[in-house]
């Protein structure tokens, strides 16, 4: 398995309160198994951001992505699948109260598949993260999200995540965190063919003397159940 990921972000001020926020990503996944497709995907997003005040920002974002899945078997020829994705997402982020910060987003995603597999799908997107500053040294974060993950081979995963994490600065530049959560992934093409339900728990100790340098050690445990036996595991 040979993964690759390249990302870029930027912000362009327009007026005192308006600006353009953009991002772009490219990913490539190549597999040794002939049963799996090699995937490539590139996306770009641009959003009009409005800063109501220094602590709050609202933005409307549009994006598009292109993907291609190439069979990894010499016996399969001219069977590439192309995907074109489109998104519209509204976001709000910033200070909610004196001790609570967070962000929320809601939107919709569409995908068109062509060539070896032809189909069109659309699914809603939504999520939120809230962080409570218990005191200057301790924070707690609650996260929830639901949205699609479109694969270039024509499959769709509707993924729902929930998590809760606690972080404590146990000494100068040293942090301890404990987190847990659950994930449900519903996979479909033209019909639903698999549902995975997983829960996980993890802990981390990190040393961060500056904003540019961080060293950490973490341990995680995951238990996944699936209605397809090959995809059930514990790690």
């Amino acid at each position: 398995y040979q993964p690759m990921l390249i990302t870029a972000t930027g912000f362009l001020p327009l007026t005192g309160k308006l600006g353009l926020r953009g991002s772009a990503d490219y990913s490539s996944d190549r597999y040794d198994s002939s049963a799996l497709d090699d995937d490539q995907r590139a996306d770009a997003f641009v959003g009009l951001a409005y800063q109501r005040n220094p602590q709050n920002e609202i933005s409307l974002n549009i994006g598009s992505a292109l993907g291609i899945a190439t069979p990894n078997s010499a016996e399969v020829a001219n069977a590439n699948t192309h995907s074109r994705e489109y998104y519209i997402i509204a976001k709000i982020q910033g200070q909610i109260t004196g001790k609570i910060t967070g962000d929320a987003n809601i939107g919709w995603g569409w995908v068109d598949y062509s060539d070896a597999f032809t189909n069109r799908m659309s699914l809603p997107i939504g999520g939120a993260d809230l962080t409570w500053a218990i005191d200057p040294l301790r924070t707690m974060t609650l996260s929830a999200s639901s949205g699609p993950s479109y694969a270039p081979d024509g499959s769709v995963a509707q993924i729902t995540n929930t998590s809760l994490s606690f972080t404590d600065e146990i000494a100068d530049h040293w942090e301890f965190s404990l987190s847990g959560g659950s994930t449900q992934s519903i996979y479909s093409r033209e019909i639903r063919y698999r549902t995975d339900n997983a829960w996980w728990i993890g802990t981390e100790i990190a040393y961060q003397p500056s904003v540019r340098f961080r060293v950490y050690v973490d341990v995680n445990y995951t238990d996944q159940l699936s209605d397809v036996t090959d995809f059930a595991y514990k790690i």
Side-chain angles (χ1 to χ4, degrees), residues 35-71:
L36 300 174
D37 291 351
D38 291 338
D39 292 337
Q40 297 182 73
R41 183 181 181 277
D43 67 53
F45 283 82
V46 62
L48 181 63
Y50 172 68
Q51 292 187 333
R52 296 166 28 182
N53 54 56
Q55 290 78 37
N56 297 94
E57 180 182 287
I58 299 173
S59 64
L60 181 63
N61 306 268
I62 58 173
S64 183
L66 298 175
I68 180 172
T70 304

Side-chain angles (χ1 to χ4, degrees), residues 127-132 139-146 160-166 178-184 198-202 220:
D129 294 277
L130 297 175
T131 298
W132 173 33
T139 60
M140 185 171 291
T141 301
L142 174 65
S143 302
S145 65
S146 180
T160 301
N161 289 299
T162 57
S163 67
L164 182 66
S165 63
F166 170 78
L178 179 66
S179 58
S182 65
T183 301
Q184 182 185 66
W199 67 270
W200 58 270
I201 188 169
N220 295 278

Side-chain angles (χ1 to χ4, degrees), residues 36-225:
L36 300 174
D37 291 351
D38 291 338
D39 292 337
Q40 297 182 73
R41 183 181 181 277
D43 67 53
F45 283 82
V46 62
L48 181 63
Y50 172 68
Q51 292 187 333
R52 296 166 28 182
N53 54 56
Q55 290 78 37
N56 297 94
E57 180 182 287
I58 299 173
S59 64
L60 181 63
N61 306 268
I62 58 173
S64 183
L66 298 175
I68 180 172
T70 304
N72 205 9
S73 172
E75 299 177 359
V76 181
N78 301 319
N80 292 350
T81 301
H82 291 80
S83 61
R84 294 175 176 83
E85 305 167 33
Y86 310 95
Y87 298 91
I88 180 168
I89 303 172
K91 297 182 179 180
I92 183 170
Q93 61 186 36
Q95 194 84 23
I96 299 174
T97 70
K99 288 194 171 185
I100 298 178
T101 59
D103 62 77
N105 65 82
I106 188 170
W108 205 272
W110 299 262
V111 63
D112 288 322
Y113 294 108
S114 59
D115 297 329
F117 175 76
T118 303
N119 199 9
R120 176 177 294 178
M121 301 179 187
S122 63
L123 287 169
I125 302 167
D129 294 277
L130 297 175
T131 298
W132 173 33
I134 303 170
D135 56 40
L137 301 179
R138 297 178 297 167
T139 60
M140 185 171 291
T141 301
L142 174 65
S143 302
S145 65
S146 180
S149 175
Y150 298 117
D153 66 356
S155 62
V156 175
Q158 177 72 11
I159 301 175
T160 301
N161 289 299
T162 57
S163 67
L164 182 66
S165 63
F166 170 78
T167 301
D168 186 6
E169 186 176 332
I170 54 179
D172 286 346
H173 309 303
W174 286 91
E175 289 182 349
F176 166 79
S177 65
L178 179 66
S179 58
S182 65
T183 301
Q184 182 185 66
S185 304
I186 301 173
Y187 296 89
S188 61
R189 202 165 185 183
E190 293 180 321
I191 60 172
R192 179 186 298 194
Y193 62 84
R194 192 177 100 230
T195 299
D196 298 342
N197 290 288
W199 67 270
W200 58 270
I201 188 169
T203 184
E204 178 185 282
I205 295 178
Y207 174 66
Q208 185 170 350
S210 71
V211 295
R212 296 186 177 183
F213 181 79
R214 188 173 191 267
V215 179
Y216 65 91
V217 176
D218 60 23
V219 178
N220 295 278
Y221 174 81
T222 300
D223 187 351
Q224 176 166 298
L225 300 175

